[in-house]
Every structure is written in structure tokens, then in C-alpha cells.
Amino acid sequence: MALYSTLDKAQLEEEYKKLSEQLAQYKEKGLSLNMARGKPGAEQVSLSNDMFGVVTSETNFKTEDCPDIRNYGNLYGIIEARKLFASILDVDPENVFVGGNSSLNLMFDTIACLMKQGAGGIPWNKQEKLKFLCPAPGYDRHFGITEYFGFEMIPVPMTKTGPDMDVVEKLVAEDDTIKGIWCVPKYSNPQGITYSDETVRRFAALKPAAKDFRIMWDNAYIIHDINDTPDKLLNIFDELKKTGNEDLVFEFCSTSKITFPGSGVAAVAASKDNLQRINNRYTYTTIGFDKINMLRHVLYFKDLNGVLAHMQKHRAILEPRFKTVVDMLNSELSEYGVAKWENPNGGYFVSVDVTEGCAKRVVALCKEAGVILTDAGATYPYGNDPKDSNIRIAPSYPPVEELKTAMEVFCISAKLATVEKLLNA
Amino acid sequence: MALYSTLDKAQLEEEYKKLSEQLAQYKEKGLSLNMARGKPGAEQVSLSNDMFGVVTSETNFKTEDCPDIRNYGNLYGIIEARKLFASILDVDPENVFVGGNSSLNLMFDTIACLMKQGAGGIPWNKQEKLKFLCPAPGYDRHFGITEYFGFEMIPVPMTKTGPDMDVVEKLVAEDDTIKGIWCVPKYSNPQGITYSDETVRRFAALKPAAKDFRIMWDNAYIIHDINDTPDKLLNIFDELKKTGNEDLVFEFCSTSKITFPGSGVAAVAASKDNLQRINNRYTYTTIGFDKINMLRHVLYFKDLNGVLAHMQKHRAILEPRFKTVVDMLNSELSEYGVAKWENPNGGYFVSVDVTEGCAKRVVALCKEAGVILTDAGATYPYGNDPKDSNIRIAPSYPPVEELKTAMEVFCISAKLATVEKLLNA
């Protein structure tokens, strides 16, 4: 078999018949498989079960900066938790605010905070026009936040080294209504791309026309390597120190994909002024976040080495899954020229660009056969992938034996949608 | 000794000398006592230590509406937790949203939500002028939220049966810029007043000029009785059903003062439409709150009876403390006519009205002797108690042997400030 684009009509019709029959066989199986969300699998969440035992009635609840972590107080989190996150992010504990169970929530609150209070200038919500840069493909929940708050979202093309910095620099220099940019700098969602040193340095040296411009640096996968060749990301705050731009960035991370999704701990790292901004809002929002859960994490991991050792257990589970996905793409799709994909060294996704104009159809075909993928377009602002090409595959959740089946369905669907397109051309 | 107001100058000067000497003796002790916040004491937070053991690796993490509570999902909370709060609030579980660790956070987010989305009308933050009714004395953190969002806060006098409903009804009927009211309907903060049946019914029958008016019904002390004569509060939602006004109220509560302050679980009860409003925002805010902590609470308490039995343990600790405070006020202050106070059947505070114009001075005198009280004025919007009279005493936190000392200092200070005032008149 050769590239589909080289086939004549009769060959395409034959291929269409064959693929349709293959897919029909899967439909008969009544599958119910989900590769839609970056959701750890059952085996992964069980990895942290021993955490339940680490805080007991015998625990010393008096910590370095808190007389009793079971009681009110410590809006910034207990210092032991701030230190643990500081060691993960490689920043000063003074620059870390430890919040609740969700970094998404921290990001939402940060944007809400800047809407209300501004970032040194007029509050964002008192400004006439608001825009936000959205490297795409990207994370739908990021786009959701800026859409909720009424930003016009401007897609920025992703390259192999991160967002196209020529585009970013030009846009932010020209347009002072652009207030920020969403970044997943390591193992980006969905492509698994890690920003190059040059990209990080150009971000740190950014000169936006808007003095209240902020980079939302969502380091969700900072230690989420899945093989022996992990990517290295420059520490943005080290670079910001050199450029004197430390107010430019809010950096986020959480243990949602380290311990328990929904019952982890999230943190934000930022300059003193930026933390003060967050503090100004949180002072009115809450008396403090869950310090018992913070201590639970601290006692369980002890230090960065403990966290990294734990991540090796996740890797052991995830690596074969990613391999299954990429091997299947290689073996089933390469020769037909129906898709391109990334082969990431970490993160939670494999990003596949199917034939242009076919992503929605592929997702629909998969759904007919009981395989749920993230909606086509979800990786673009407003759900609008102009090429209708990108599909995000999340290999973590389905049981591994089902993952292979799900990928078979995906590959057949990717081929079938391409054949359909060529036949209708 | 008689009422201070009946003393002549010489008698007052003698009293001044005596009280000053008494206070000086306490100053020498170098006390460091805190009656400022409604913070459970060490003995109280230890009551729930057995909770740490209820979720283990052997726990069944699959619950009625969640395949694995350790993983993402269930934005409204697990149904078992919604049912538990429904039984506490006496509402339908369908009307309950279980959130994170803080009802204050839920209240803040609710106001933020209505600012952005409105409550059926124009978003609050797009309206020219915004006002909020603040029964006073009241809870400073409530006032903080509406101050943060730029509301003009209008104090409403408290009566023995709740906010002065003649004033409330008149104001909301006349002024459509009034968007809501803060209420602590049971054991109000700080007075410990429970709204009478008539007050609740008048709230349920309220006819505000603003169609987007909302009552923030903070039922923080719903089961927080401290003696054998607990107050009874009508269920506002039962009354709202009769008046067809179910959209009028958001009701809040939490386990912060049942299990762990900062590591409890909070909930909001509201009509279907109001919950949908919250959902519209939280869908963008987070993937879900901490379901492991929800399950921990559910397994620990089992049901409402379990919660109520637990509250008896709190009562056993709190009752003697409240008695100490009120007994001391009775024995030390009654005969001089220098203060009036409430004798609440529950909640977290004793509210004392000292001689007009003396509250700030009393708090300052106490501070000089090492006893920290809530700032005078804090119980009024903008920290402005027009009579400079109300002081909130929180008996829960200091060790019980210190509470008596702290109250001795308070009573001397209340007398001394009055004598000073009379001497300077």
C-alpha cells in the first residue's frame, strides 16, 4: 500500500469498503473506551494510597510557622509545603503561595484577580478591549477561562520549540490590549513540546506594549517525564532575574497528576508584587486552604527526591501506554500519509494532526465505534481549529489492554476519514 | 458601689485610681491572650482526630455517582456528601453543591459569579451603582467581600429577633440598586441572635425592587448549640416554597467548626437556577473539589445523627467557656451600668456593648495588658461603629484557665474606659 494521495478512485473505493468493514466489526463489540481527558488511570491513583496513613492523631500538628495546622490560618500555606513546591519549581519559598486542590482554580482566580484589581495599571475589567494570546493547539480549559472573562483570544502557532516567538513579540509590542499569554512550557498540552532555551529567554525578555501584560506559565508537567530522554526546560524565573522582568510571570503547578487528581495541592510562584496582588484578593476569599492535606503531602514525600522517586512509578505505568499509542500510529498510519504526530518525552498527550478537514469526522467515527476522544477543535480557542486537523489523544486513562483496541479504532477512523475526503474531492 | 453614672467626680477619681492599679498588675504579668477570632480551641480540633483513620488504602473509592473518588470529576461533589449536607440543612440533595474547605470562599465566589454573570438581569458589575444591606453588628469577613467588590454597604440595625425587617423591607422596596443582604440567621455573628419565625417569613416574602436581589444566608452555626435551650430557626427554603421565591436565597454552611477549620468541607444550597449560575462559573474554575475529604467526612459521620452527636462534644467544651464569660460580665459589670451583653444559646461569640464612645478605648486598654480582642468597629461595615460601643468576644480559643484572666482584664478595661469618659465629660 502507498500514500492514499497517490491512489486512483477504484483503489480508494476498495480501501473505503475494507476500512468500513473493519470499523463495523469494532462497532459490533459495543466498546466504551475513553481517551478524552488527561486523567490518570486507576493504577496511577493507587500509587499514592499510602498517603492516607501519614497523618494520624499522633502527628505533630505544630509546624515551623503554624501552631496547629488543623486550625485556621496561614493564607500562603505552611512553610514546609511552600518549600516543597519551591524545590520542585526551583524558586525561593518566599515566592510560593500554596493553595487548594487545583492549579486551574489558582489560574482562574489569578485572572479574576487581575480583572478586578489590575496588574499595576487600570483594572483589566475597566479597560475597553481585552485580548489574550493562546498558543494553539493548546489546553481547552485555559481558553475557557479567558473566554469566560470576555477576552478576545488570538491563536499563536506552535512550533517545535514552543509558540512562534516572532509572532508573540510582534503582537505584544504592537497591541497594548493584549494582556497575557497561556503557556504550558514543558510537555505542552497537547503536543508534548518543551519550550527551547531560546524560547524561554525570549519570553523572559518580552517587551509588551501593555505594562500590565502577564505570562500564565502553567508548568503542569514539570516533572512528568515518561522515558530516559526527558526534556529540559530553562527556569523562567532565573531568566527573568537577568532581564529584571520578574513581574511578568505567574507560574503554576500541582500534585494532581503526582498524588490524587482533585485531592492534591496546587501552588503558584510569582514575584513579591504579584503575590501581593493574589494576597489582596485571597485575604477576602478565604481564611486559608487545606493545611492538613499540605502536611500530608510534605510528610509523604519528605523532599524533592521523594517526589521524583514517586514520579518514576508513574513513568513505569505511562511509558508503555505512550509507546502503544505511538507504535500503533507508526505501524498503522505512516505509510498512508494520513496523519502526523508528536512523540513526546513526557506529559499526558499525544497530539495527532490528521488530514486537513478530517478531525471532526475522525472523532465522530471513533465515537460511533465506542471510542471517546477530546472534541475536535477543543485544542483551539473557541473550539475552532481552522484546519480541522488536530486531535488530542490521552493514553493514561483506559486500561492498557483496551488502549490498543481504542488505537485500532482511531487508526481505522483516521484512514477512513481521509479516504472519504479523497473520494469526495 | 453603684452605677458609675451616679458617682461624683471624687468618687470617679478614686475608682479611676483603683482600676488603673488593677490593670497595671495584669500588665506586669506579660499576658498574651487572644479572644479575637471565632477559632476553635486545641481541645476542639482534637475531637476529630479519628477522621484521619477513616480513609485508607482499603476504602471503597467507588461511590454512588463516582467511579473513583480519588480521580477527577463530580463538580457538584459526591452525592453522599451532598446528602449529608442536605440532611444538615434540611433541603433536597439536588439543591446542594459541595465545594472546597471554606464556606467563605463559596460566598466570595457566589458574589464574584453574580458580579460577572448577574442574577437574571444585567451583570452586577455592569450596573452603575451597587449597594448591599449589612445587618450590624455583623461579620467583618462578609463586609470585606462586598467592600472588595465595590458595594456601598448600608448598615441595618439588629434587633432581638434579627435584622430590623421594617427597615429591610422599606429599603429593598424603594431602591433597586440594593442587590442583597448578609444574614447569619442562627446565633448571629457576633450577637448570637437567632432570627424569629416572623423574621424568616418576612425574608421569604421579601419583594425587592431589584429582581436580581439575593439573600446570602450564612447558616454557619446551624447546629452549633451550646446548652440545653437551643434556639430554633425556621427553614428558609420551606418558607420560600410557600412564597414562590426560591431564587431569593443562597444558603451556606461548612464543617469548619465541626471537624477542622481549614480542612473541613463547605456547601451551598440554592434553587436549580441559582445552582446553575454557580455551575456556570465553577465549570471554568476547576474540575472538581476534594472528594477524598468529602468521603472522609461521610464515612466518619455516617449521617446527621453522627454529626449531631459530635456537636455534643463541642458543646461540652464550649458551654463552660461561654458561662465563664457571661458569669464574669454579670458579676463584674452589672452593678456599674457600663455594658450590655447577649447570653447566646450557641454560636461562637458574646457581643458586648460597652459605654458609647468607649469600645476603641477598651480594646486598646486590653491590648496594653496583653489581651487581644477583635478590633472595635470590626462588626460594622467599613469598621465604623457609629456608637463606638460594640465589642465581640470569642471565648473558644484561649485555654479555659486563661479565659478567666482575659475576662478580668476585659471587665477592668470596660470599667476604666467608662470612668475615663465620665471624668472627661
Side-chain angles (χ1 to χ4, degrees):
Chain A
M1 186 54 67
L3 294 174
Y4 280 167
S5 55
T6 64
L7 301 189
D8 64 21
K9 197 179 172 213
Q11 288 171 311
L12 285 170
E13 276 171 351
E14 191 186 335
E15 192 69 9
Y16 177 82
K17 192 163 168 283
K18 195 186 78 189
L19 291 165
S20 297
E21 282 166 9
Q22 285 176 359
L23 197 63
Q25 285 172 12
Y26 284 98
K27 285 185 196 173
E28 279 170 19
K29 292 180 199 248
L31 301 173
S32 175
L33 307 176
N34 196 318
M35 298 196 294
R37 305 301 314 183
K39 196 170 168 174
E43 216 185 328
Q44 284 183 275
V45 293
S46 295
L47 287 177
S48 306
N49 274 356
D50 286 347
M51 276 190 73
F52 297 128
V54 300
V55 172
T56 72
S57 55
E58 304 303 314
T59 296
N60 177 13
F61 298 107
K62 182 172 170 4
T63 57
E64 202 179 320
D65 65 350
C66 182
D68 190 336
I69 58 115
R70 298 168 301 177
N71 218 322
Y72 288 119
N74 291 67
L75 184 58
Y76 281 68
I78 55 173
I79 189 65
E80 292 83 357
R82 297 171 72 192
K83 284 178 182 171
L84 184 64
F85 277 105
S87 70
I88 294 171
L89 296 169
D90 192 18
V91 298
D92 192 308
E94 288 294 306
N95 294 108
V96 176
F97 180 104
V98 181
N101 70 325
S102 159
S103 58
L104 188 72
N105 200 332
L106 281 178
M107 290 180 240
F108 184 97
D109 287 349
T110 299
I111 297 289
C113 169
L114 301 178
M115 290 296 291
K116 175 70 181 69
Q117 299 169 204
I122 305 165
W124 285 359
N125 70 12
K126 299 284 183 206
Q127 299 184 28
E128 195 90 355
K129 177 75 195 160
L130 296 171
K131 298 178 190 167
F132 220 85
L133 300 186
C134 298
Y139 180 30
D140 54 352
R141 289 187 183 272
H142 285 165
F143 305 153
I145 292 173
T146 30
E147 187 167 11
Y148 178 78
F149 284 108
F151 287 83
E152 181 187 331
M153 296 188 285
I154 303 172
V156 172
M158 280 292 288
T159 74
K160 297 282 179 191
T161 57
D164 185 327
M165 292 308 293
D166 292 342
V167 173
V168 170
E169 284 165 353
K170 184 166 184 293
L171 286 171
V172 304
E174 282 172 355
D175 186 348
D176 70 357
T177 69
I178 296 174
K179 296 301 165 193
I181 183 168
W182 290 113
C183 293
V184 182
K186 192 167 177 190
Y187 305 133
S188 68
N189 179 347
Q191 294 168 296
I193 288 170
T194 296
Y195 295 8
S196 69
D197 293 358
E198 189 198 336
T199 297
V200 174
R201 290 196 180 106
R202 288 172 77 175
F203 268 118
L206 219 51
K207 300 267 174 289
K211 296 306 162 209
D212 52 358
F213 178 95
R214 289 296 181 274
I215 299 170
M216 299 289 279
W217 198 254
D218 180 5
N219 219 336
Y221 309 111
I222 182 168
I223 49 173
H224 300 59
D225 311 314
I226 55 160
N227 61 31
D228 280 332
T229 55
D231 297 347
K232 300 271 181 223
L233 175 73
L234 275 192
N235 181 340
I236 183 86
F237 279 107
D238 287 348
E239 300 306 314
L240 290 165
K241 270 175 206 150
K242 296 175 196 165
T243 57
N245 272 352
E246 284 155 280
D247 286 345
L248 204 56
V249 170
F250 287 94
E251 181 174 20
F252 302 89
C253 74
S254 82
T255 69
S256 294
K257 292 184 178 83
I258 299 176
T259 58
F260 298 113
S263 300
V265 180
V268 50
S271 70
K272 195 180 159 197
D273 281 358
N274 280 336
L275 281 193
Q276 188 56 48
R277 290 191 173 95
I278 295 178
N279 175 71
N280 285 352
R281 184 179 181 92
Y282 276 136
T283 291
Y284 293 102
T285 307
T286 183
I287 306 173
F289 293 96
D290 185 346
K291 297 190 295 298
I292 294 178
N293 205 31
M294 292 182 205
L295 185 65
R296 190 175 283 123
H297 280 72
V298 168
L299 294 177
Y300 182 61
F301 286 125
K302 295 186 178 66
D303 56 25
L304 179 59
N305 285 333
V307 181
L308 294 177
H310 193 74
M311 293 311 291
Q312 288 299 315
K313 299 179 190 168
H314 283 286
R315 172 195 156 169
I317 295 168
L318 289 174
E319 187 172 16
R321 288 164 176 272
F322 275 76
K323 198 169 175 313
T324 297
V325 169
V326 174
D327 285 354
M328 191 84 75
L329 293 169
N330 280 328
S331 65
E332 299 297 315
L333 298 186
S334 334
E335 58 186 309
Y336 308 101
V338 300
K340 290 175 184 168
W341 53 90
E342 303 291 334
N343 187 3
N345 295 315
Y348 263 72
F349 304 103
V350 176
S351 174
V352 182
D353 288 319
V354 298
T355 307
E356 288 190 19
C358 290
K360 282 197 172 67
R361 179 64 181 154
V362 172
V363 171
L365 287 169
C366 283
K367 192 176 175 189
E368 286 174 21
V371 174
I372 305 302
L373 300 169
T374 312
D375 281 346
T379 54
Y380 281 76
Y382 308 108
N384 176 29
D385 174 1
K387 294 183 179 166
D388 185 26
S389 168
N390 187 252
I391 296 177
R392 185 182 82 166
I393 291 178
S396 54
Y397 191 64
V400 73
E401 62 276 17
E402 293 179 2
L403 184 61
K404 197 157 174 290
T405 310
M407 283 306 297
E408 285 162 8
V409 171
F410 175 80
C411 291
I412 293 167
S413 302
K415 288 190 278 188
L416 185 56
T418 303
V419 171
E420 285 176 349
K421 187 190 169 189
L422 291 168
L423 279 171
N424 292 327
Chain B
M1 186 53 68
L3 294 175
Y4 280 166
S5 54
T6 64
L7 301 189
D8 65 23
K9 199 180 172 214
Q11 290 171 309
L12 283 171
E13 277 170 351
E14 189 184 336
E15 191 69 10
Y16 177 82
K17 189 159 170 288
K18 193 186 80 191
L19 291 166
S20 297
E21 283 167 8
Q22 287 176 359
L23 197 62
Q25 286 173 11
Y26 284 98
K27 285 185 199 175
E28 280 171 21
K29 293 179 198 250
L31 302 173
S32 176
L33 307 175
N34 194 318
M35 297 196 294
R37 305 300 316 182
K39 195 170 170 173
E43 215 184 328
Q44 283 182 276
V45 293
S46 295
L47 288 178
S48 306
N49 275 354
D50 286 345
M51 274 190 74
F52 297 129
V54 300
V55 172
T56 72
S57 56
E58 305 301 314
T59 296
N60 177 14
F61 297 107
K62 181 171 169 9
T63 57
E64 202 178 321
D65 65 349
C66 182
D68 189 337
I69 59 114
R70 297 168 302 177
N71 217 324
Y72 287 119
N74 291 66
L75 183 59
Y76 280 69
I78 54 173
I79 189 66
E80 291 83 357
R82 298 170 72 191
K83 283 177 183 171
L84 184 64
F85 277 105
S87 71
I88 294 171
L89 296 167
D90 192 17
V91 297
D92 191 309
E94 287 294 306
N95 293 108
V96 176
F97 180 104
V98 180
N101 71 325
S102 158
S103 58
L104 189 73
N105 199 332
L106 281 178
M107 289 181 241
F108 184 97
D109 287 349
T110 299
I111 297 289
C113 169
L114 301 178
M115 290 298 290
K116 175 70 181 68
Q117 300 169 203
I122 305 165
W124 285 358
N125 71 11
K126 300 286 183 202
Q127 299 184 30
E128 196 88 358
K129 178 77 195 159
L130 295 171
K131 298 178 190 166
F132 220 86
L133 300 185
C134 298
Y139 180 30
D140 55 353
R141 289 188 183 271
H142 286 165
F143 305 153
I145 292 173
T146 31
E147 187 167 13
Y148 179 80
F149 285 107
F151 287 82
E152 180 187 332
M153 295 187 286
I154 302 171
V156 172
M158 280 292 288
T159 74
K160 298 279 180 195
T161 56
D164 186 325
M165 292 308 292
D166 291 342
V167 172
V168 170
E169 284 165 352
K170 186 166 183 295
L171 286 170
V172 304
E174 281 172 358
D175 186 346
D176 69 358
T177 70
I178 297 174
K179 296 301 166 192
I181 184 168
W182 290 113
C183 293
V184 182
K186 192 168 177 189
Y187 304 134
S188 68
N189 179 346
Q191 293 168 297
I193 288 170
T194 297
Y195 295 9
S196 69
D197 293 357
E198 189 198 336
T199 297
V200 175
R201 290 198 179 104
R202 287 172 77 175
F203 267 118
L206 218 52
K207 299 266 175 288
K211 294 309 164 207
D212 52 358
F213 178 94
R214 288 295 180 274
I215 298 169
M216 299 288 281
W217 198 255
D218 180 4
N219 218 336
Y221 308 111
I222 182 168
I223 50 173
H224 300 59
D225 311 315
I226 55 160
N227 61 30
D228 280 331
T229 55
D231 296 347
K232 300 271 181 226
L233 174 73
L234 275 192
N235 180 340
I236 183 84
F237 279 107
D238 287 348
E239 300 307 312
L240 289 165
K241 271 176 206 150
K242 297 176 195 164
T243 57
N245 272 352
E246 283 155 280
D247 285 345
L248 203 59
V249 170
F250 286 94
E251 181 174 20
F252 303 89
C253 74
S254 81
T255 69
S256 294
K257 293 186 178 82
I258 299 175
T259 58
F260 298 114
S263 301
V265 180
V268 50
S271 69
K272 197 180 156 194
D273 281 358
N274 280 335
L275 281 194
Q276 188 57 48
R277 290 191 173 94
I278 295 177
N279 175 72
N280 285 350
R281 184 179 182 91
Y282 276 136
T283 291
Y284 293 102
T285 306
T286 183
I287 306 174
F289 294 96
D290 186 345
K291 298 188 294 298
I292 294 177
N293 205 31
M294 293 181 204
L295 185 65
R296 190 177 282 123
H297 280 71
V298 167
L299 293 177
Y300 182 61
F301 287 126
K302 294 184 179 68
D303 56 25
L304 178 60
N305 285 333
V307 181
L308 294 177
H310 193 75
M311 294 311 291
Q312 288 299 315
K313 300 178 190 168
H314 284 286
R315 172 195 156 169
I317 296 167
L318 289 174
E319 187 171 16
R321 289 165 175 271
F322 276 76
K323 197 170 177 312
T324 297
V325 170
V326 174
D327 283 355
M328 189 86 72
L329 292 168
N330 280 327
S331 66
E332 298 298 314
L333 297 186
S334 331
E335 59 188 305
Y336 306 102
V338 299
K340 290 175 183 166
W341 53 90
E342 304 293 333
N343 186 3
N345 295 314
Y348 263 71
F349 306 101
V350 176
S351 175
V352 181
D353 288 318
V354 298
T355 307
E356 287 189 21
C358 290
K360 282 197 174 66
R361 180 64 181 152
V362 172
V363 171
L365 287 169
C366 283
K367 192 177 176 188
E368 287 174 21
V371 173
I372 305 301
L373 300 169
T374 311
D375 280 346
T379 53
Y380 281 76
Y382 309 107
N384 175 29
D385 174 1
K387 295 182 178 168
D388 184 26
S389 167
N390 187 251
I391 295 178
R392 186 182 81 165
I393 291 179
S396 54
Y397 191 66
V400 72
E401 62 277 17
E402 294 179 1
L403 184 62
K404 197 158 175 290
T405 310
M407 282 307 297
E408 285 162 7
V409 171
F410 176 81
C411 291
I412 293 166
S413 301
K415 288 190 279 189
L416 184 56
T418 302
V419 170
E420 286 176 346
K421 188 189 168 188
L422 292 168
L423 280 170
N424 293 328

